[in-house]
Each structure stands twice: as structure tokens, then as C-alpha cells.
Amino acid sequence: MSSADPKTVEARCVRLDSKAENAAAVAPVVERQTLARGPNDVLIEVKAAAVNPSDVKAATGLMPYAVFPRTPGRDYAGVVIDGPAGTIGREVFGSSGDLGIRRDGTHASHLVVDADAVVEKPTTVSWEEAAGIGVPFVTAMEGFRRAGVPKSGEAVLVFGVNGKVGQAAVQIATWQGARVIGVVRKAEAYEGHANAPIEVIDASATDVAVRVREMTGGKGADIVFNTVGDPYFQAAHKSLALRGRQILIAAIDRIVQFNILEFYRGQHTYVGIDTLGLSSAATGAVLRDLGPGFASGHLKPFPINANAVYPLERAKEAYVAVAGSSRDRVILKP
């Protein structure tokens, strides 16, 4: 049953009052805020929330639509303590493009979101692990939803394979039966979970496109998931099979050389993904597509290192760790 009068809670929230010059200058404080849900919302007691690079970028003014003051955070896991009939007591997790940037987010003891934004937490997954699923898996899955979910036997080439989105892409592609080739910047093995062996190309020692053609009998990759952007744009372009699709989610320098002739003769498709454009409900729909994979064990959450879990009062350390490109999935625990 739902409570007739939505309850209010005094939430402890990490607050950013104004734009910081850089990550080291971000000055979060923990303040109390009164929260109450609307008729179609749920009120969640947050058990864990992840810190994403976008949280830190928004704090330093790289997202002009970010509002101040606000509570950051896009990913969360927790228990519904107030909401429409049938929702109270549910263990849920979720993510969003607008949470923590255009509106108050998840780095708090409590959170209000649309009831249709939340997804059942798999029983096999801890709070911290569930909180860490969000943005990387949503980015990877939305890329594949838009480019075409990999089919069994297709070749998927992932640039930046050891990044969190890269690892999520590997998990999803191998779950679907695709063959995955990963690209790393320097000699290292693939670090994440996979449902099949992953072949890895060291871009510092090999011409990636030439090697991909060799490995695919001259055909090339059906899907290229480029999680890095422009540094690999040419290698990705030259690795594409006929009617291949390149997914792009990031950039360092925005402008690249682009061979239009090769593009249209190859009948290629380029897909741009910006999960910041997805509402909480749209993000929930993407996460629900992934639910069966987590339930079956084909998809696994990122391991959480105890040293990468911080209380709200140490949010600044957590943000600095993420800005320093920590390989850990960094989590805040209220």
C-alpha cells in the first residue's frame, strides 16, 4: 500500500554551491534538505551511489546546463520507503541523464525519482555493485540499441576495452554471442568479465586496422565501439566492415579528418550516444533490457574495491579519485 500523505524526510545531501575551476577545487558540503515525493514518484533510501566522470565534469562547468546549487550523482541503489501502491520495500537501482546535473541527484541519504525509473535490484548483486552498474552499462547498451544489438558471429571491436564502458560493451556483446576484439593503448590484458575469450590488440605496437582485417579474414568489424573518440577515429573507420557501424561516446579534440568517399562506399553508419540526454524513465527502460543478463550471470557488476567506497562527508576525496582517472568504480555510501 502507499501512504496517503507522502512522507517527508530530512535527507543528508552532498551540495555543490557553485562551479569549480577544476576537480581539485570542487568543494562539496553535506547539508540537510527536506524531500517529499510527487504522486508518481518514489522516495528512496539510498544505500549506495556511484561517482562518474560526468559528475566531476559537471562540477567544473563542462556542462553548461548544469544547475547550481545542486546535489550531484546519476547512479544509485536503495530501498523504496514511500511511493505508489506496491512499491514500498522494493530493492531497486537506477541511473539517469538529468539526475545530479539538471536536478538534484543521488549523492545523498535519500532520493526522489519517477516510479517508472527504478529497476529491481538482482538478488545476487550487492548495494555497492548495483550502484556501480548505471552509467557504463546504460552507455554501452544504448550504443548497441541504436547501432543494432550484436548478433551471434558478428565481430565487435572495442577501443578502450579496459574502461568501464568498454568492459560493459564486452559483456553485452559476448552475452549476445558476438566475437569481441579489444584495443588497448599499451600492452595489457583485458581486465573485465566476458562470456567468451577476448582477443586484444596493443595499439602502441600494431596497426589496429590491418590486424583487425587479418583476424576477420579481410572483412573487418561489424560494430566498432569507440569509447575514446578522436585518437582512434581513423583506426576505427579503417576497421569497419561493409555496412559496419561505429559508436562514438567521447572526444578529446572535437574535429577529425573524415573520408566521405570511404564512408559512403563502405555504407557505414556512425552512431552518437549521449546518455545525459536520457531521462530517468528512458534510462530505466535501458537497464530493464539488461536485467535478464544480470539475473543469468552473463552480465556481472564491476567489482567494488573497499578502498574506493567513501562516506558522504568524504565526497571531495571520491571526486578527486574519479578525476584522477581511478580504475576503481568509486562509490559513496550514506
Side-chain angles (χ1 to χ4, degrees):
M1 53 169 269
S2 75
S3 43
D5 297 314
K7 63 169 78 166
T8 59
V9 293
E10 283 289 300
R12 288 169 37 250
C13 306
V14 176
R15 301 293 285 172
L16 298 176
D17 285 328
S18 58
K19 183 176 94 172
E21 281 300 299
N22 52 46
V26 173
V29 292
V30 176
E31 294 177 356
R32 292 195 172 268
Q33 300 260 323
T34 302
L35 297 185
R37 68 177 184 90
N40 299 315
D41 296 333
V42 287
L43 175 63
I44 294 169
E45 180 186 333
V46 178
K47 297 290 190 182
V51 182
N52 290 287
S54 54
D55 298 324
V56 183
K57 288 175 182 166
T60 59
L62 287 178
M63 291 160 194
Y65 43 79
V67 297
F68 292 95
R70 72 166 185 286
T71 298
R74 297 171 63 191
D75 295 343
Y76 61 90
V79 179
V80 176
I81 60 168
D82 191 30
T87 60
I88 296 174
R90 284 176 63 199
E91 297 191 349
V92 297
F93 75 111
S95 180
S96 176
D98 53 2
L99 278 178
I101 296 175
R102 293 180 182 86
R103 51 179 280 207
D104 284 341
T106 66
H107 296 171
S109 62
H110 296 79
L111 171 71
V112 174
V113 290
D114 301 340
D116 56 359
V118 298
V119 183
E120 291 291 332
K121 180 181 81 66
T123 52
T124 53
V125 173
S126 74
W127 291 117
E128 295 84 353
E129 288 170 337
I133 288 170
V135 169
F137 274 94
V138 169
T139 305
M141 188 64 196
E142 181 66 4
F144 286 138
R145 277 165 54 121
R146 294 261 320 278
V149 174
K151 297 183 180 68
S152 180
E154 283 195 314
V156 177
L157 179 66
V158 181
F159 286 89
V161 74
N162 276 328
K164 293 294 177 271
V165 177
Q167 290 186 26
V170 167
Q171 291 202 35
I172 295 165
T174 55
W175 174 35
Q176 299 299 324
R179 172 192 182 184
V180 176
I181 303 168
V183 178
V184 290
R185 197 180 62 222
K186 57 184 189 297
E188 62 181 25
Y190 173 61
E191 293 176 356
H193 166 69
N195 299 290
I198 304 304
E199 301 155 286
V200 177
I201 299 172
D202 173 6
S204 70
T206 312
D207 182 314
V208 173
V210 169
R211 184 74 190 107
V212 169
R213 298 268 170 214
E214 288 171 1
M215 295 165 81
T216 56
K219 183 184 172 207
D222 300 289
I223 301 175
V224 172
F225 208 125
N226 184 349
T227 72
V228 182
D230 46 283
Y232 288 132
F233 184 83
Q234 288 301 339
H237 172 75
K238 292 192 176 305
S239 299
L240 281 169
L242 185 68
R243 297 194 181 157
R245 299 90 82 190
Q246 181 181 180
I247 302 163
L248 291 153
I249 66 164
I252 299 164
D253 289 325
R254 299 173 186 199
I255 308 300
V256 293
Q257 287 284 323
F258 180 55
N259 187 321
I260 296 173
L261 182 71
E262 287 178 1
F263 171 72
Y264 71 73
R265 283 208 174 146
Q267 301 175 48
H268 296 156
T269 301
Y270 282 16
V271 177
I273 297 298
D274 178 15
T275 55
L276 291 167
L278 295 177
S279 69
S280 292
T283 305
V286 179
L287 284 171
R288 272 187 278 280
D289 279 357
L290 297 169
F294 285 104
S296 67
H298 289 97
L299 302 181
K300 293 193 187 302
F302 302 108
I304 306 299
N305 180 339
N307 296 334
V309 179
Y310 299 83
L312 296 182
E313 289 71 21
R314 290 175 57 202
K316 180 179 172 74
E317 290 170 65
Y319 298 164
V320 168
V322 170
S325 62
S326 165
R327 279 256 169 122
D328 288 321
R329 196 74 171 105
V330 174
I331 302 291
L332 289 176
K333 277 202 80 165

